[in-house]
Amino acid sequence: MIGGMAARAEPEKEPKLIVKPEAFKTLVNPPCSHCRDEAKRRAKDLRDDDRVLCWIRGKYDGGAIPFRFFLNPYRVISDTYGVYAYDPDAGYARGYAPSLDFTFHGWRNGVMVMKHKDGTLYSCLTGIAFAGPNKGRRLEVMPTLTTDWGYWLKHYPGTVAYHMFDKYQSVELSTKVDADSQKSRLPMDERLPADTPVLGVFDGKRARAYPLDQLAKEGVIRDTANQDVRVILWHSPTRTAAAYLPIAIAPEGKGGKPRGITLQLDPKNAAAPFVDEETNSRWDIAGRAVKGELKGWTFTWLDSVQVKWFAWAAEYPETSIYGK
């Protein structure tokens, strides 16, 4: 149960915005294909352990973007499937509602910033506009998670992928933090070490951080916030975390009333290690039942992202921390 949040001191200074749009060219509306086709096209280049940003709902059950070929070099992709941002210094990747109007702009609070063509500036982590004509607006967040290419390809081969033309070559990240990202950071929230990986969850009212080391030990966390039960899941083979409302929704056109579900960890099936007590159906990290009575049903995704603590706390200074 979420208790009261610890009082925070007033920030020492206003957030520092570093404007550097030339740092990364934005990729706009690249041609699309399917994972199974691009796996054949670039079989020698794509690795099973390549990290991918996946959107997990919608047409074709979602899609996957390999970091090395698309997100490492471009950082912001503005596309008809979604707007995708990757901020390696802050340790997160996100998706927002489709648009062709966003470009990389710089950093604020140690967090990447993107700019809409109307001049509005948005945090890539929260999707909240902090300057410009639409200040205060929050972008619609897409259900996403980060996982491994091999896992995603095996279990969701028909999902969308970008056409991997030869011009898209792998880019390895520097081990050093970008100097401009570092300069834009404010004094740290010392409740956790700065680079602690957490799953940050925002339910529309409150933010909460779940340290990944604790989540990895438990596998499934059942928590309550604003009187709503949520489940936080950890998929050990791919180091993937996600948050859902444990209410199963029937596939479109199949009928069936939403039903509450209680999940338990059962690692006998590594690909789908979660089992519900009600029907003994198996669920995967994408919040989808893949075996049993509820096969094809899905959970409602909660706005959640794997991110470093310093960035989450900077954007959500009143966040609580699970276990504290």
Side-chain angles (χ1 to χ4, degrees), residues 59-93:
K59 193 175 181 181
Y60 306 113
D61 288 335
I65 306 171
F67 282 44
R68 282 195 301 130
F69 295 87
F70 296 99
L71 292 166
N72 285 2
Y74 294 103
R75 304 298 171 89
V76 173
I77 300 174
S78 204
D79 183 30
T80 54
Y81 273 99
V83 176
Y84 306 104
Y86 175 45
D87 186 346
D89 299 307
Y92 69 89

Side-chain angles (χ1 to χ4, degrees), residues 2 12 56 58 117 161 188 194 225 272 279 285:
I2 293 180
E12 295 182 15
I56 59 176
K117 71 175 184 179
M188 258 300 299
T279 72
I285 191 62

Side-chain angles (χ1 to χ4, degrees), residues 211-231:
L212 293 192
D213 59 352
Q214 187 169 357
L215 177 56
K217 291 177 182 178
E218 299 189 34
V220 175
I221 290 176
R222 186 177 174 89
D223 200 10
T224 304
N226 301 322
Q227 298 182 337
D228 291 324
V229 176
R230 60 178 61 166
V231 288

Side-chain angles (χ1 to χ4, degrees), residues 193-216:
D195 289 340
T196 300
V198 302
L199 183 73
V201 179
F202 181 69
D203 63 8
K205 297 178 181 179
R206 293 187 179 186
R208 187 150 168 84
Y210 297 82
L212 293 192
D213 59 352
Q214 187 169 357
L215 177 56

Side-chain angles (χ1 to χ4, degrees), residues 126-148:
T126 67
I128 297 174
F130 61 86
N134 281 312
K135 181 179 179 180
R137 179 192 174 200
R138 181 186 290 270
L139 298 175
E140 179 185 350
V141 182
M142 289 182 63
T144 57
L145 50 76
T146 55
T147 187
D148 289 344

Side-chain angles (χ1 to χ4, degrees), residues 146-210:
T146 55
T147 187
D148 289 344
W149 170 256
Y151 172 85
W152 191 259
L153 175 65
K154 182 177 180 179
H155 300 286
Y156 293 100
T159 57
V160 178
Y162 290 135
H163 191 122
M164 297 189 68
F165 295 112
D166 290 341
K167 66 179 180 179
Y168 299 122
Q169 294 296 314
S170 66
V171 173
E172 300 296 340
L173 290 176
S174 170
T175 57
K176 296 181 179 179
V177 174
D178 187 283
D180 290 314
S181 173
Q182 183 76 51
K183 290 175 185 176
S184 73
R185 295 186 189 183
L186 289 178
M188 258 300 299
D189 181 325
E190 296 181 352
R191 287 181 288 169
L192 292 173
D195 289 340
T196 300
V198 302
L199 183 73
V201 179
F202 181 69
D203 63 8
K205 297 178 181 179
R206 293 187 179 186
R208 187 150 168 84
Y210 297 82

Side-chain angles (χ1 to χ4, degrees), residues 250-320:
E252 187 174 352
K254 297 293 185 179
K257 295 182 179 180
R259 52 194 298 180
I261 292 297
T262 306
L263 282 187
Q264 293 182 338
L265 182 67
D266 181 3
K268 293 178 183 177
N269 184 329
F274 313 106
V275 176
D276 69 66
E277 294 181 359
E278 289 76 11
T279 72
N280 205 39
S281 297
R282 280 202 172 268
W283 299 76
D284 66 9
I285 191 62
R288 181 175 282 105
V290 298
K291 186 177 180 180
E293 179 184 333
L294 298 183
K295 183 177 180 180
W297 289 52
T298 56
F299 291 139
T300 298
W301 179 80
L302 275 174
D303 184 354
S304 53
V305 58
Q306 290 179 229
V307 61
K308 292 181 180 179
W309 166 249
F310 83 81
W312 183 256
E315 297 291 76
Y316 292 106
E318 299 303 322
T319 185
S320 61

